[in-house]
Amino acid sequence: PQHAAQAAGPAVVAVSPASTSTTVGDEIVIDITAANVPEQPGIGGYLIVLEWDAAVLTLTSISDAGWLTAKGGNILPYCDPPDIDNVAGTAAADCSPILAFGLGASPSGPLVHAVFRARAPGSTAISLEGSALKGTSESSTIDSSITGGTVTVAGSAAVAAVTDTPISQVTATAA
């Protein structure tokens, strides 16, 4: 059976921080969070689908944040190994409840940690389109809204410090 959200408004799945910046070569951690989750049934699992511009960022890892088991205590989820495609700029993390003893996790917390490495200057949206919160039974979902984010990558400091040396100043020595 489908469970509807009982909190004020739907639950929210969001990128946190919503907007951030970094420099080429640096790593950045982005959390995918859940908020406004109804106490009944609570979260039993999730499907997080990420999309980004692969020319700007590379996803180095995506991992469960542990909130389902730490916060709820009544859920035993099974998480599939993450599916990461850095050529297409897509990834998926899927955790489903195997056993649920009562209510799931609520009202808010981090679902997954995504670690990106900045590849090139530019800006990219981090889309969560297709993501969903699962209830405490494998077939139930929780009504939720999806909010993506943005990452802006600046050129590296080392590149900015490079200066041109005129050819006339370069001398060659004959061996």
Side-chain angles (χ1 to χ4, degrees):
Q2 296 283 328
H3 296 283
Q6 295 175 351
V12 177
V13 179
V15 171
S16 179
S19 179
T20 190
S21 58
T22 190
T23 304
V24 170
D26 288 348
E27 284 192 342
I28 187 166
V29 177
I30 294 176
D31 286 338
I32 310 307
T33 62
N36 201 34
V37 176
E39 186 175 314
Q40 293 185 0
I43 295 175
Y46 55 79
L47 171 62
I48 300 300
V49 179
L50 294 171
E51 289 186 30
W52 67 93
D53 183 346
V56 177
L57 298 174
T58 296
L59 182 63
T60 60
S61 69
I62 185 168
S63 59
D64 179 68
W67 177 61
L68 292 178
T69 54
K71 187 74 173 172
N74 299 322
I75 302 296
L76 176 61
Y78 172 77
C79 298
D80 290 326
D83 180 17
I84 299 172
D85 183 345
N86 277 308
V87 174
T90 61
D94 189 357
C95 285
S96 296
I98 294 176
L99 295 173
F101 305 99
L103 303 177
S106 67
S108 63
L111 298 171
V112 299
H113 303 299
V115 180
F116 288 93
R117 179 170 300 280
R119 294 182 64 170
S123 183
T124 180
I126 304 293
S127 171
L128 296 173
E129 195 66 36
S131 296
L133 298 178
K134 299 178 181 182
T136 53
S137 68
E138 191 170 342
S139 62
S140 67
T141 58
I142 296 172
D143 183 32
S144 55
S145 65
I146 307 295
T147 304
T150 305
V151 175
T152 302
V153 178
S156 70
V159 171
V162 172
T163 59
D164 290 330
T165 303
I167 297 294
S168 63
Q169 292 181 0
V170 176
T171 58
T173 56

